[in-house]
Amino acid sequence: MNDASHGKTRFRVGGMDCASCATKIENAVSRLPGITEVGISVSAGTMIVTHQGPAPSAAISKQVKALGYSVAEVGAARTAAPTAHVHEHGPNCSHDHAGHNHSHGDHAGHDHAGHNHSGHNHGDHSGHDHGAEAANVAGTGHDHFDLDDGPWWKSRKAKLTIACGAALVAAYAIGQFLPQIGHWAFLAALAVGLVPVARRAYAGAVTGTPFSIETLMTIAAVGAVFIGATEEATMVVLLFLIGELLEGVAARRARASIRGLADLVPKTALVEEGGTTREVAADTLQVGAIMLVRPGDRVAADGTIVEGSSTLDEAPVTGESVPKSKSAGDDVFAGTINTDAVLRVRVTAAAADNTIARVIKLVEEAQESKAPTERFIDSFSRYYTPAVLVVGALVAILPPLVAGGDWSEWIYKGLAILLIGCPCALVISTPAAIAAGLSAGARRGLLLKGGAVLEGMRRVTTVALDKTGTLTEGKPKVTDIIGIGLSEANVLSRAAALETGSSHPLALAILGRAKADGVPIPPATASKAIAGKGVTAKVGGEEVFLASPNAADEMAGLSAEQKARIAAFNADGKTVSVLLVDGKVAGILAMRDEPRTDSISALARLKDDGIATVMLTGDNEATARAIGKGLGINVRAGLMPDDKQRIVRELQKQGQIVAKVGDGINDAPALAAADFGIAMGGGTDVALETADAAILHGRVSDIPDMIALSRTVMGNITQNITIALGLKAVFLVTTIMGITGLWPAILADTGATVLVTANAMRLLAWRGR
C-alpha cells in the first residue's frame, strides 16, 4: 500500500467525541484534492488519510481546524509488518483552540480522576524517541495542548460551558433588577454559547456537512429569539453544551480504559552490564539485554528468565487470579508483578513490540474499523437529520396555514422537533458499546479485530479446535513411572541424568518432572545417542540406556506383562521409554501432551450454549481419540493443514457458522477459511496478525467467554438504540400535544446521549465468567 503513488498518514485529532464529529471531519478532508480515503476512530482519537503523492498535511490541518478540532500529524500509517506500525500515544495532541468549544474529551484518554499521566507518552508504542515526538507534535499544534495536562473541567469545552452558564445567571439577575434591558442581557448570554456553535455549523456546511447537530441547534436557537423565547433559547444552548461536555468525559473514559494498559509497564528498568546494574528508561531496553527484577517490581519488558525462580502475579495483564510460579527458561510478560525472589530476565521484545503494546495497537486499529450496525446507523442518520428538518418545518407551517393555528405556538413546536431530532444518541449508540467491549475484552486477553468480529461472534454455531497447544498444553509431561527393581525416584533420576542437556520435547518432559519432584540428577559421562533406539551413558558406574520399547525388547527382552503395560499406555496415546540398567529392564516411563486444566469445563460451557465442538488434529488416531474421549469432543485426526481447511469448508456448506481455534501456525489455511479465525497461544508468539481474534493467555475457557462478550455487547447496543429512539418518540408526541417545550426537547437528546454512553461504559466492567 505504501508505494510512492499512495501514502497513508496518521493524525491525532483532538476534540472528537461522537460519530457526528467524525462525519464532519471525514467530509471536509475527503473533499481535498489527492485524498482517496479517510478513516476515523472516535474512540482512539485518530484519523488515517490515504492520499496520492505526498501528504497535503497543511491543507488537512487547515480543514480540520476550521471545524474547531485540533490536529497533529503523527507520521506514516504503515500497512506492513505489525512492528513497523507507528502508534503514538505520545503527548496526545488533543486540545482545542480558540473558537472551539468542542473539547471532547481526551485524548490521552486518561481518567479524570487524576490518573497520573502528566501528558507523558503513555508507554509510547511508537518505539521512537519521545523527545523528538513531543517536538513534532508541539510544532504542528501550537496552543491546542492544554487538555491533557489538566482535568476535564479545564478543557475549552468546559470553560465555554461555564462561561455560558455564568452569563445566563447574570442575565437572570439583570432581568430581575433592570427588566427593561432583560431581553438584551439574555441575548448577550445566548451569544456567548451560540456564536462558537454557529461558527462550527457554518464551517461544517461549507465543507460538506450541511445537516450537522450544530445546524439544528443554531436554527432552533435563532428561531426561538424571533418568536420571543430568548430565555429558553439560552437555556437550550447551555443544556446542549453540558451534553457535549458529558459526551467528552465519557469518550475520555473509554479511551482511558485501553490506554490504562500502557500504564502497567513500568517507566524504568534495572539493567545488568559488565557486573554492575543501572536504571534505564524501559522504552530504551534492547532485545538481548539482561534486566534484574526484584520482588515487588513490575516486569519492564517481555522476556525469558535466565536465572532465579519466583511466583509472578499476572492478574493485571491476563486477568488470571492465581499467581504462576516460573523459573529459568520460562517467558514473562511486561506489566506482570514479581512477588517472591530476584529474577534475571533476558529481554525478547522491544517496548514497541511487547505484548501490551501490540494489544493496544490492535485494539485501536479494531476501533478504527466500523461495525456493520454502525455503518447502517451512519447511513441512516445521513437521511434522518434532513428528514427532521423537513418535519420540523411542516409542523411549524402547516397547522397555521391549513387550520388557522397560532403561528408563534406552532413555530415553537417545530423548533422543539428540530432539537428532538438531533441524532447524537443514536449515532453514538453502537461505537460507544463496541469501543467499550473491545477494551474490556483486551483487558482479559481477548483481542478482537474490530467491530464486525465483535458483532458477528455471537452467531457462531460450531467451534473447531486444534489439539496440540490449544486443547492441550502443547508439551509432553511424564504421566506414569513404573519401577522394576528400582524405586520410581531412582528410575526418574537415572533417566534425567541421560537427558540432561537435550532439548528434545520428551527429554524436557523428563527433566521437568525430575525438577518438580525434587529428584537429584547425578552426572552422566560418555553419553551418546543411538539413532532410532535411544540414549546411553555411564551414570555412577552403571551402564544406563533409555530406549524405545522395540530397542529394549531386542537388548534385554520384555516380559509379557511389561509388553501388555506398554501396549495399554500406547492405546492411551502415550509415548513410552524403557530404562535399562546394565542390560536389565529397570523401569518404564510414559509421557503425553496433557489437556489444559480448563479444557473440559470450557467445552461443557460451549455445549450448554448450544454450540457444537470438533477437534481437528494432525496427530495420530490413537492419541487424538484418547484425548478426545477424556474431553468428550468429536475427533478428526491425521489431518494435514489443507485437510483442516477442507473440513471447515464442509461445515460451512452445511450452514454452520464456524470459529476455528488454533495456534495460528500450521492451521493458518483453516483459520483463514473459517468465519472467525481465533489464534491461541502464549502472548508473544501468538499469530495475532493472521486471525480475526486472538486469545493471549492460553485459556480454553476464553473461547466461550469471547462468544459471551459478543452477545453482551450486542445486547447493550440493542438497549442503546431503544433508549435513543424511545426517548425521541415520547418527546415527539408530548411536544406536538403541547405538553413539553424547548428545554425538555434538548434534554431528550442530551439525556439520551448521556444514558446511552453511560450504558455502554458499563461494558468496561465486564469480566467474563
Side-chain angles (χ1 to χ4, degrees), residues 636-679:
R636 307 278 297 265
L639 305 173
M640 296 303 290
D642 50 347
D643 295 328
K644 294 182 184 180
Q645 182 181 28
R646 194 193 69 245
I647 291 170
V648 166
R649 293 243 157 91
E650 282 167 14
L651 287 167
Q652 287 168 327
K653 282 200 184 107
Q654 296 160 22
Q656 303 288 330
I657 306 278
V658 183
K660 171 74 180 76
V661 188
D663 56 13
I665 299 150
N666 64 353
D667 34 21
L671 284 181
D675 297 280
F676 299 100
I678 304 175

Side-chain angles (χ1 to χ4, degrees), residues 149-169:
D149 306 336
W152 62 268
W153 41 266
K154 285 193 175 166
S155 66
R156 298 234 175 242
K157 181 175 270 189
K159 287 176 183 163
L160 178 67
T161 308
I162 293 163
C164 185
L168 184 61
V169 172

